[in-house]
Amino acid sequence: AQVAFAHLDFGQPFCSVAMRRALGCLVGLVGGQDVCFASGMSPEKPFPSLTQCYRHNEEACCKSGHDHLVNEALTSVLAPACLKEYPALEDLYCSLCSKDSTYSRSSTTPLKGPHMKLQNNVVYIVLCNSFLDSLWGASLDSFTNVFDNCGLQLPENKSDPDSERRVFVPSAVDSTGEPSIPNVDDFLERISAIFPPLVRHDGAAVQVQIVRSGADSVSDVEGCLSGCSIFGLSFVGLMMMLRV
């Protein structure tokens, strides 16, 4: 009986595209490159392409699965007709897909990147005032009407992400006569509680806290997530910035 042997061309790398990419990432990590908080790998061009966080398709810290979680999280807060109304909010939800959402492999606790850190199983995302201005469109210590045209579907109890959701119209007053979302810090607290679980540490998803630059909890983080361009603002936000 004859045995047929498959012909192997040893002049070519004998591994699949997936294997070559995995080996390339392994070499990169060993070489000291930065590691993404979300993927645990070096930033790379995503394939398949990201559909929600598409602005990061040249180089990203997310995979298609992360992108799907971001889309689910956004669609739980905004009605489908409003998903593209607030570019700054979309940028915030996609911030962990940024190629800059990394830490140095040589780092010890806390793991720190340009605008975030991981400490005590909490990921802190630090926002510059310029970013918050584009997101909020009003004094950060006051209410905004930027989201009033769509409303935000948020948990009734901001400290309990599993509490029943209702539609918040941020500038509408409640039974006490106060705006339902009185300032940007209240808003960030509510969003943090329901932020998509993209980062895992020690085998479990970690909590997210989104904070202003300069907060005591992130005094050791040198940078912050900066604002989008004026062309990235919603029409309502643009009108508020131009209002005299």
Side-chain angles (χ1 to χ4, degrees):
Q2 292 183 337
V3 179
F5 291 92
H7 174 69
L8 301 181
D9 182 359
F10 291 100
Q12 298 295 326
F14 184 59
C15 61
S16 67
V17 173
M19 286 179 64
R20 290 200 297 272
R21 292 179 68 179
L23 289 171
C25 286
L26 180 60
V27 170
L29 294 181
V30 172
Q33 291 186 10
D34 287 345
V35 183
C36 295
F37 280 96
S39 70
M41 302 169 66
S42 296
E44 63 177 354
K45 185 175 180 65
F47 180 81
S49 296
L50 309 180
T51 56
Q52 180 64 62
C53 301
Y54 56 89
R55 284 191 281 272
H56 299 289
N57 271 329
E58 284 301 311
E59 191 175 15
C61 270
C62 281
K63 306 298 182 183
S64 186
H66 299 108
D67 189 61
H68 178 68
L69 288 178
V70 171
N71 176 262
E72 283 188 331
L74 269 174
T75 53
S76 73
V77 172
L78 295 171
C82 296
L83 282 177
K84 298 300 181 184
E85 284 292 303
Y86 310 110
L89 183 61
E90 188 176 4
D91 285 343
L92 174 57
Y93 269 74
C94 289
S95 58
L96 282 162
C97 291
S98 164
K99 64 181 177 64
D100 297 320
S101 295
T102 59
Y103 63 91
S104 171
R105 189 167 174 80
S106 60
S107 295
T108 56
T109 303
L111 301 176
K112 290 189 291 186
H115 57 261
M116 61 183 58
K117 72 172 180 178
L118 171 61
Q119 186 172 23
N120 298 328
N121 287 328
V122 176
V123 168
Y124 295 87
I125 301 176
V126 187
L127 305 184
C128 300
N129 282 341
S130 59
F131 185 93
L132 288 169
D133 287 340
S134 66
L135 174 73
W136 201 240
S139 168
L140 303 183
D141 297 318
S142 181
F143 66 88
T144 183
N145 62 14
V146 165
F147 302 103
D148 283 5
N149 60 321
C150 286
L152 301 168
Q153 302 167 63
L154 299 170
E156 178 74 36
N157 185 345
K158 63 182 177 183
S159 61
D160 180 9
D162 296 322
S163 62
E164 185 176 357
R165 294 199 181 202
R166 71 174 178 88
V167 176
F168 283 76
V169 179
S171 69
V173 297
D174 59 20
S175 58
T176 66
E178 295 295 323
S180 58
I181 301 181
N183 53 54
V184 77
D185 293 311
D186 184 271
F187 173 78
L188 295 180
E189 186 178 352
R190 293 181 183 277
I191 292 296
S192 294
I194 57 173
F195 204 74
L198 303 188
V199 180
R200 297 180 64 82
H201 185 61
D202 291 337
V206 301
Q207 180 185 353
V208 172
Q209 284 192 18
I210 308 167
V211 296
R212 295 199 213 186
S213 176
D216 291 342
S217 59
V218 292
S219 59
D220 55 341
V221 178
E222 295 181 0
C224 52
L225 189 65
S226 60
C228 60
S229 72
I230 194 169
F231 300 104
L233 293 172
S234 67
F235 178 76
V236 176
L238 180 58
M239 290 299 98
M240 289 188 68
M241 288 188 67
L242 295 178
R243 187 178 62 188
V244 178

